[in-house]
Amino acid sequence: MSMNRDPQNDPAPAADLAEMEDARLAQREKSYSQGQLVRRRFFAHKPAVISMIVLLSIIVVAFTSIGPTGEGGWWGKSFLQTNPVVDGGRPTMFRDGFLGEYPFGQDNNGRDYFALVMRGAQQSLIVAFGVALSSTVIGVLVGALAGYFRGWVESLLMRLTDTVIVVPLLALAAVFGSYAQNLPGGTLTLALLLGCVTWTGMARLVRAEVLSLREKEYVAAAAAMGAHPARIIVKHMLPNSVGVIIVNATFAIAAAILLETSLSFLGFGIQPPESSLGLLIDLNQNAFTTRPWLFWFPGLFIIAIALSVNFIGDGLRDAIDPRQKRTGDKRPTLRGVLGFRGSATAQQRLAARTGGTPDDDSTHDETLNLGPTPNPQKDDDR
Amino acid sequence: MSVLTAALYSGLVLLDHFMRHWPGFLSLKPRPISTIGSSSPNFDGNFWEVSLDHGTQLLLPTTLLMVVSVATYTRYTRASMLESINQDYIRTARAKGVNERTVIFKHAFRNSMIPVTTIVAFDFAGLIGGSVIVERVFGWRGMGELFATGLGNSDPAPVMAFVLVTGAAAVLFNLIADLLYAVLDPRIRV
Amino acid sequence: MSTPVLSYKDIRVSFATEFGEVDAVKGVSFDIASGEVVAVVGESGSGKSVTSSTAMGLLPDNATVDGEVLLAGRNVMKMSAGERRRLRGQDISMVFQEPMTALNPVLRVSDQLVEALQVHDVAFGAQALEKAVDLLEKVGIPDARRRIRDYPHQFSGGQRQRIVIAMAIACGPKVIIADEPTTALDVTVQAEVLDLLRRLKEELDTGILLITHNMGVVADMADRVVVMLNGEVVETGDVQQVMSRPQHAYTRRLLDAMPLLRDPEIHVGEVSPEPEGSLDDVRLEETPALEARDLALEYKFRRKATRVVEGVSFTVNKGEIMGLVGESGSGKSTVAKAVLGLLDVAEGDLLIRGRNMPTMPARERKTLKKEIGVVFQDPAASLDPRFPIGDIITEPMVVHQVGTSRERVRRAEELIDAVRLPSGVINRYPHELSGGQRQRISIARALVLSPTLLIADEPTSALDVSVQAAVLDMFRELQEQYEFACLFVSHDLAVIDTLAHHVLVMQNGRTVEQGPVDQVLQYPREGYTQRLLAAAPVPDPVTQAERRAARLRLLADQGKLPG
């Protein structure tokens, strides 16, 4: 036939793109998975890392200070125990040594406010993670099924989702919250029930993601080789939408903290004598002008938790960054050119860069980050 | 055009009238912006003064609800703008020599508004939900308060009514969003 | 040669990325005179687009540009942002690769054209609209006065590219930069758009800087050629000289890598010789690997079914490659989908080794899928990014529960070797491989169960020419070695010509012509096949000029001449 090339006899093998790429591949020693890359990028995101430290310390302090059951932590005071009110319940922090007897003050009944706030933070965190977990599970399930099977399954599931969305979230949550009061299991039951009203966003996102993944050729290839739908969903679709899922689960945690707070504030969430951050604000809202610390401390914790969770979500999103997935193999466009499509062989680059600006490690990284474009730039300068 | 002029002009006349009655209103209510209730208790004045009272009472709750929404929409719009600013037609517009202001407003902004409209409609339901809290905080006796007390007293009728009304409103707003979508995106229309 | 209207002098571009500086262009110089077409050729990453874009000042913010760009004697690089903006569209304009996304979807074509005129004070209001209609007529949009009110999505891809060209010539620029203007278009449309560019160049006496990877387009259009590799110019010169006597090894490689279409003999009106003793007779005793009888396929959208394929019949025997050719929308990929079981057959029979797929119970269908391997088009999407290469290749074995895990690994190593990749690749992830390498992994995956039938849906269309050549070579060798039957879907007649034994030409979901390659592509009998063959450019300027003239004669004879 008329294909007249002959790779063996060509005098300049370096001029062939295909061979150049193969040579480069053989040279590279270290291999990174997608997950490793995401981790590297996440830890380069400062606000996210700081938030992670803040959140972790809040969790640790909240659960160890008064113990997970409300008793037996290193703080030594229970959140239920009433004491004589000292100094009008004013906080002793920084006035009486570093912490003093009642660092956050005391409430009307002389209960230690630090213990109350810690208990509140515990409960709020349990609700938040519980809600995030259950809503993610429901949302992913509904979204994946709707997106994969289309047809009547999709119609049914998405109409259900729409129905839930149409009712204001807080109203629905309040109904479920007041229902949960009569059920055993306390906070955890509340969390799971709240998960049943907050899954809609996740379901829609996962469905959209699955719909776009359906068009991917590796999914078509799996279907063509006869793989069972369950395998395709579990092995191909969910791992590839894990970015969307994780990021939105994070934001769901932040939203759940606020939802719990609002519910408790309205009186449909956690009930006294149990404590929660929203409940503390509700109970003490009249004290705002006279004893503001009863208002500030739980508020501070709500903001700290919600903000740090949000920042972590941001960091994760940037790390997973869907925009870096470049589609197709187009020739360089202005965007595609964004540094990812430069061109030089290892030797030429070394020669060109006499100053040797970037350090060794960074050039190595460049080869890993570039998404699926054929990239003549991928090389290892070592 | 004439409708626009008429509307603008009557608006100005109305504003002028309110301004005229502001001093009288102040003498009746020396601290005009208060935090509790939808109208001042025992307030007595003429039509303009009563209207001003209602207006000032509205100020804080609306600002609060607005601030919350503004934050969300800012993020959505930003994400949407970033998406459309990277499109090929933006490059085409720049290649034509169009200045940056026109590129942003005429080419990028309109396209980026398309996804945002849907989100606004879906948010409407959330806004009503948010009003439950706001009504409690500012001591209004509105639909949210009706719902909350109804639920607190285990009285199903107000709760059902609330869900029905807000659900209907949300459906309506979704319809409006769909229509807006068609206006903004010719690919749906033709 | 007259004085250049646009000249690049020692252009260097580097990009600051999160991983340090990347040099994309390393000292490139060339000129363009008015009324001249200069083609910049190179594969992805050669820096050809980046170089050209420096004249427009449209590079992203992280780019650092050195060197001089002289436009009619004035240095563009020294101008203020405002001056450069006024230059764009007026003195220098651009045509882009993707006509589908280059126009703003929410604005009418009239708005976008008028904007181009008003920005540079060429015309305003009704006068501008009038001029816009003229421009549309000039680029060959029929019924321009009515259609100018339409939105971009109401035009076809080729028409959209014409509108982009209309926008580019609106202010009578001195130079037009055409960045892969025909890459996204079908061959027949490509030929028309190139005709249009050639005509406009002569009418307006503008210089054209044509960026392309296709040597055929270069031969068709260019006066001079600049060959780029890795950000440097490796060869430059007159088109005749570069194409027929290439000096640099890379240019030679590029020319050699391009699959060649043998010159067909097209005789309009004459009856071509009948095929003597078709190949089918020889192998009659054996059941064909794949057979379609009166196949009809449809897509369902909101309970409305649209027929996309109708009455297609063909047979693929063991060890035979059947090429399925057609332009976009011809339904060729849909046929491939149906064979893969991704789309239900609406009517007709689809037999795989003599067993009819549509009537088969689901369980048997799954076992039958062991016999079919598949290679898709997009190297970026064909491999699951979360799987290591070894798992990707052995996935069919896992699905069909073939072999122990050790056997699977051994089989994967065997195939990696067969597609000539280093064995270490088995533990790597797809994002570490280039497009060509990924397509080779796809082929390995397709072959892992030693299928009797391989479906290849445009497996090399997204690859650079030299990579495509390597992949095709390997494909042919593997086919001879494993003797699978193959349905090879492609839009590229040259690829089919070099690879396939039989060919089926499709248009609008129907068969136009089918038979052995030597017969259909050498002695095409249908007008459509003839037009398709005539439109494919060859990388030789003299032959291409003849072919161009022959194509115009053919179109005139068939009464299909545009305009």
Side-chain angles (χ1 to χ4, degrees), chain C residues 361-378:
Chain C
R363 185 156 289 280
E364 274 182 55
R365 226 191 263 195
K366 189 184 166 180
T367 27
L368 196 64
K369 282 181 175 177
K370 268 167 87 171
E371 307 282 326
I372 310 175
V374 60
V375 183
F376 283 114
Q377 171 178 8
D378 186 355

PDB file of all heavy atoms in Angstrom, chain C residues 361-378:
ATOM      1  N   PRO C 361     -31.125 -13.521  23.947  1.00  0.00           N
ATOM      2  CA  PRO C 361     -31.338 -13.160  25.359  1.00  0.00           C
ATOM      3  C   PRO C 361     -30.098 -12.467  25.941  1.00  0.00           C
ATOM      4  O   PRO C 361     -28.972 -12.679  25.472  1.00  0.00           O
ATOM      5  CB  PRO C 361     -31.586 -14.509  26.048  1.00  0.00           C
ATOM      6  CG  PRO C 361     -31.137 -15.556  25.098  1.00  0.00           C
ATOM      7  CD  PRO C 361     -31.170 -14.985  23.732  1.00  0.00           C
ATOM      8  N   ALA C 362     -30.328 -11.658  26.960  1.00  0.00           N
ATOM      9  CA  ALA C 362     -29.272 -10.786  27.481  1.00  0.00           C
ATOM     10  C   ALA C 362     -28.026 -11.551  27.919  1.00  0.00           C
ATOM     11  O   ALA C 362     -26.903 -11.104  27.705  1.00  0.00           O
ATOM     12  CB  ALA C 362     -29.823  -9.969  28.645  1.00  0.00           C
ATOM     13  N   ARG C 363     -28.237 -12.735  28.525  1.00  0.00           N
ATOM     14  CA  ARG C 363     -27.093 -13.468  29.047  1.00  0.00           C
ATOM     15  C   ARG C 363     -26.158 -13.925  27.914  1.00  0.00           C
ATOM     16  O   ARG C 363     -24.943 -13.796  28.002  1.00  0.00           O
ATOM     17  CB  ARG C 363     -27.596 -14.673  29.850  1.00  0.00           C
ATOM     18  CG  ARG C 363     -26.500 -15.449  30.550  1.00  0.00           C
ATOM     19  CD  ARG C 363     -27.054 -16.204  31.731  1.00  0.00           C
ATOM     20  NE  ARG C 363     -27.424 -15.322  32.824  1.00  0.00           N
ATOM     21  CZ  ARG C 363     -26.528 -14.808  33.688  1.00  0.00           C
ATOM     22  NH1 ARG C 363     -25.259 -15.091  33.566  1.00  0.00           N
ATOM     23  NH2 ARG C 363     -26.912 -14.026  34.657  1.00  0.00           N
ATOM     24  N   GLU C 364     -26.788 -14.431  26.854  1.00  0.00           N
ATOM     25  CA  GLU C 364     -25.974 -14.874  25.727  1.00  0.00           C
ATOM     26  C   GLU C 364     -25.254 -13.703  25.071  1.00  0.00           C
ATOM     27  O   GLU C 364     -24.147 -13.825  24.599  1.00  0.00           O
ATOM     28  CB  GLU C 364     -26.869 -15.553  24.683  1.00  0.00           C
ATOM     29  CG  GLU C 364     -27.094 -17.015  24.967  1.00  0.00           C
ATOM     30  CD  GLU C 364     -27.948 -17.622  23.872  1.00  0.00           C
ATOM     31  OE1 GLU C 364     -27.563 -17.510  22.690  1.00  0.00           O
ATOM     32  OE2 GLU C 364     -28.998 -18.180  24.205  1.00  0.00           O
ATOM     33  N   ARG C 365     -25.967 -12.559  25.072  1.00  0.00           N
ATOM     34  CA  ARG C 365     -25.370 -11.387  24.469  1.00  0.00           C
ATOM     35  C   ARG C 365     -24.067 -11.024  25.188  1.00  0.00           C
ATOM     36  O   ARG C 365     -23.102 -10.608  24.594  1.00  0.00           O
ATOM     37  CB  ARG C 365     -26.343 -10.215  24.558  1.00  0.00           C
ATOM     38  CG  ARG C 365     -26.462  -9.474  23.253  1.00  0.00           C
ATOM     39  CD  ARG C 365     -27.208  -8.197  23.454  1.00  0.00           C
ATOM     40  NE  ARG C 365     -28.619  -8.348  23.117  1.00  0.00           N
ATOM     41  CZ  ARG C 365     -29.406  -7.313  22.941  1.00  0.00           C
ATOM     42  NH1 ARG C 365     -28.937  -6.086  23.073  1.00  0.00           N
ATOM     43  NH2 ARG C 365     -30.661  -7.488  22.630  1.00  0.00           N
ATOM     44  N   LYS C 366     -24.080 -11.190  26.515  1.00  0.00           N
ATOM     45  CA  LYS C 366     -22.885 -10.861  27.284  1.00  0.00           C
ATOM     46  C   LYS C 366     -21.724 -11.768  26.883  1.00  0.00           C
ATOM     47  O   LYS C 366     -20.598 -11.294  26.703  1.00  0.00           O
ATOM     48  CB  LYS C 366     -23.173 -10.981  28.776  1.00  0.00           C
ATOM     49  CG  LYS C 366     -22.015 -10.445  29.590  1.00  0.00           C
ATOM     50  CD  LYS C 366     -22.182 -10.612  31.076  1.00  0.00           C
ATOM     51  CE  LYS C 366     -20.831 -10.370  31.739  1.00  0.00           C
ATOM     52  NZ  LYS C 366     -20.854 -10.503  33.175  1.00  0.00           N
ATOM     53  N   THR C 367     -22.008 -13.067  26.742  1.00  0.00           N
ATOM     54  CA  THR C 367     -20.921 -13.978  26.349  1.00  0.00           C
ATOM     55  C   THR C 367     -20.420 -13.627  24.952  1.00  0.00           C
ATOM     56  O   THR C 367     -19.238 -13.728  24.656  1.00  0.00           O
ATOM     57  CB  THR C 367     -21.370 -15.445  26.364  1.00  0.00           C
ATOM     58  OG1 THR C 367     -22.761 -15.494  26.134  1.00  0.00           O
ATOM     59  CG2 THR C 367     -21.027 -16.110  27.666  1.00  0.00           C
ATOM     60  N   LEU C 368     -21.343 -13.190  24.107  1.00  0.00           N
ATOM     61  CA  LEU C 368     -20.959 -12.840  22.742  1.00  0.00           C
ATOM     62  C   LEU C 368     -20.001 -11.646  22.744  1.00  0.00           C
ATOM     63  O   LEU C 368     -19.137 -11.511  21.886  1.00  0.00           O
ATOM     64  CB  LEU C 368     -22.218 -12.509  21.940  1.00  0.00           C
ATOM     65  CG  LEU C 368     -22.032 -12.506  20.434  1.00  0.00           C
ATOM     66  CD1 LEU C 368     -21.679 -13.899  19.966  1.00  0.00           C
ATOM     67  CD2 LEU C 368     -23.297 -12.027  19.746  1.00  0.00           C
ATOM     68  N   LYS C 369     -20.151 -10.790  23.754  1.00  0.00           N
ATOM     69  CA  LYS C 369     -19.323  -9.589  23.801  1.00  0.00           C
ATOM     70  C   LYS C 369     -17.848  -9.917  24.021  1.00  0.00           C
ATOM     71  O   LYS C 369     -16.991  -9.069  23.809  1.00  0.00           O
ATOM     72  CB  LYS C 369     -19.840  -8.642  24.881  1.00  0.00           C
ATOM     73  CG  LYS C 369     -21.060  -7.885  24.415  1.00  0.00           C
ATOM     74  CD  LYS C 369     -21.584  -6.939  25.444  1.00  0.00           C
ATOM     75  CE  LYS C 369     -22.737  -6.130  24.855  1.00  0.00           C
ATOM     76  NZ  LYS C 369     -23.332  -5.234  25.839  1.00  0.00           N
ATOM     77  N   LYS C 370     -17.597 -11.132  24.481  1.00  0.00           N
ATOM     78  CA  LYS C 370     -16.193 -11.543  24.583  1.00  0.00           C
ATOM     79  C   LYS C 370     -15.511 -11.519  23.226  1.00  0.00           C
ATOM     80  O   LYS C 370     -14.304 -11.386  23.110  1.00  0.00           O
ATOM     81  CB  LYS C 370     -16.128 -12.986  25.119  1.00  0.00           C
ATOM     82  CG  LYS C 370     -16.007 -13.081  26.608  1.00  0.00           C
ATOM     83  CD  LYS C 370     -16.264 -14.486  27.061  1.00  0.00           C
ATOM     84  CE  LYS C 370     -14.997 -15.318  27.039  1.00  0.00           C
ATOM     85  NZ  LYS C 370     -15.227 -16.628  27.687  1.00  0.00           N
ATOM     86  N   GLU C 371     -16.318 -11.714  22.205  1.00  0.00           N
ATOM     87  CA  GLU C 371     -15.779 -11.830  20.849  1.00  0.00           C
ATOM     88  C   GLU C 371     -15.496 -10.472  20.210  1.00  0.00           C
ATOM     89  O   GLU C 371     -14.997 -10.396  19.101  1.00  0.00           O
ATOM     90  CB  GLU C 371     -16.789 -12.568  19.959  1.00  0.00           C
ATOM     91  CG  GLU C 371     -17.233 -13.898  20.517  1.00  0.00           C
ATOM     92  CD  GLU C 371     -16.175 -14.947  20.287  1.00  0.00           C
ATOM     93  OE1 GLU C 371     -15.506 -14.871  19.245  1.00  0.00           O
ATOM     94  OE2 GLU C 371     -16.006 -15.827  21.144  1.00  0.00           O
ATOM     95  N   ILE C 372     -15.926  -9.399  20.890  1.00  0.00           N
ATOM     96  CA  ILE C 372     -15.810  -8.079  20.274  1.00  0.00           C
ATOM     97  C   ILE C 372     -14.874  -7.195  21.091  1.00  0.00           C
ATOM     98  O   ILE C 372     -15.028  -7.072  22.299  1.00  0.00           O
ATOM     99  CB  ILE C 372     -17.187  -7.393  20.187  1.00  0.00           C
ATOM    100  CG1 ILE C 372     -18.211  -8.351  19.560  1.00  0.00           C
ATOM    101  CG2 ILE C 372     -17.093  -6.122  19.379  1.00  0.00           C
ATOM    102  CD1 ILE C 372     -19.611  -7.804  19.549  1.00  0.00           C
ATOM    103  N   GLY C 373     -13.916  -6.601  20.430  1.00  0.00           N
ATOM    104  CA  GLY C 373     -13.056  -5.626  21.075  1.00  0.00           C
ATOM    105  C   GLY C 373     -13.372  -4.263  20.505  1.00  0.00           C
ATOM    106  O   GLY C 373     -13.931  -4.155  19.420  1.00  0.00           O
ATOM    107  N   VAL C 374     -13.016  -3.193  21.255  1.00  0.00           N
ATOM    108  CA  VAL C 374     -13.347  -1.866  20.747  1.00  0.00           C
ATOM    109  C   VAL C 374     -12.226  -0.875  21.015  1.00  0.00           C
ATOM    110  O   VAL C 374     -11.549  -0.925  22.038  1.00  0.00           O
ATOM    111  CB  VAL C 374     -14.675  -1.363  21.368  1.00  0.00           C
ATOM    112  CG1 VAL C 374     -14.570  -1.278  22.869  1.00  0.00           C
ATOM    113  CG2 VAL C 374     -15.074  -0.022  20.778  1.00  0.00           C
ATOM    114  N   VAL C 375     -12.005   0.014  20.052  1.00  0.00           N
ATOM    115  CA  VAL C 375     -11.080   1.138  20.218  1.00  0.00           C
ATOM    116  C   VAL C 375     -11.841   2.397  19.835  1.00  0.00           C
ATOM    117  O   VAL C 375     -12.403   2.482  18.752  1.00  0.00           O
ATOM    118  CB  VAL C 375      -9.846   1.007  19.303  1.00  0.00           C
ATOM    119  CG1 VAL C 375      -8.882   2.146  19.559  1.00  0.00           C
ATOM    120  CG2 VAL C 375      -9.159  -0.321  19.523  1.00  0.00           C
ATOM    121  N   PHE C 376     -11.875   3.358  20.742  1.00  0.00           N
ATOM    122  CA  PHE C 376     -12.613   4.596  20.465  1.00  0.00           C
ATOM    123  C   PHE C 376     -11.679   5.708  20.015  1.00  0.00           C
ATOM    124  O   PHE C 376     -10.465   5.578  20.013  1.00  0.00           O
ATOM    125  CB  PHE C 376     -13.376   5.043  21.706  1.00  0.00           C
ATOM    126  CG  PHE C 376     -14.624   4.250  21.957  1.00  0.00           C
ATOM    127  CD1 PHE C 376     -14.747   3.446  23.068  1.00  0.00           C
ATOM    128  CD2 PHE C 376     -15.685   4.312  21.067  1.00  0.00           C
ATOM    129  CE1 PHE C 376     -15.902   2.723  23.307  1.00  0.00           C
ATOM    130  CE2 PHE C 376     -16.834   3.602  21.289  1.00  0.00           C
ATOM    131  CZ  PHE C 376     -16.948   2.809  22.406  1.00  0.00           C
ATOM    132  N   GLN C 377     -12.317   6.842  19.717  1.00  0.00           N
ATOM    133  CA  GLN C 377     -11.577   7.938  19.105  1.00  0.00           C
ATOM    134  C   GLN C 377     -10.737   8.767  20.073  1.00  0.00           C
ATOM    135  O   GLN C 377      -9.572   9.034  19.826  1.00  0.00           O
ATOM    136  CB  GLN C 377     -12.577   8.884  18.424  1.00  0.00           C
ATOM    137  CG  GLN C 377     -11.939  10.166  17.938  1.00  0.00           C
ATOM    138  CD  GLN C 377     -12.932  11.060  17.231  1.00  0.00           C
ATOM    139  OE1 GLN C 377     -14.123  10.800  17.215  1.00  0.00           O
ATOM    140  NE2 GLN C 377     -12.432  12.102  16.629  1.00  0.00           N
ATOM    141  N   ASP C 378     -11.360   9.162  21.193  1.00  0.00           N
ATOM    142  CA  ASP C 378     -10.752  10.211  21.993  1.00  0.00           C
ATOM    143  C   ASP C 378      -9.732   9.625  22.969  1.00  0.00           C
ATOM    144  O   ASP C 378     -10.101   8.974  23.934  1.00  0.00           O
ATOM    145  CB  ASP C 378     -11.869  10.928  22.764  1.00  0.00           C
ATOM    146  CG  ASP C 378     -11.353  12.132  23.517  1.00  0.00           C
ATOM    147  OD1 ASP C 378     -10.129  12.337  23.510  1.00  0.00           O
ATOM    148  OD2 ASP C 378     -12.151  12.854  24.109  1.00  0.00           O
TER     149      ASP C 378
END
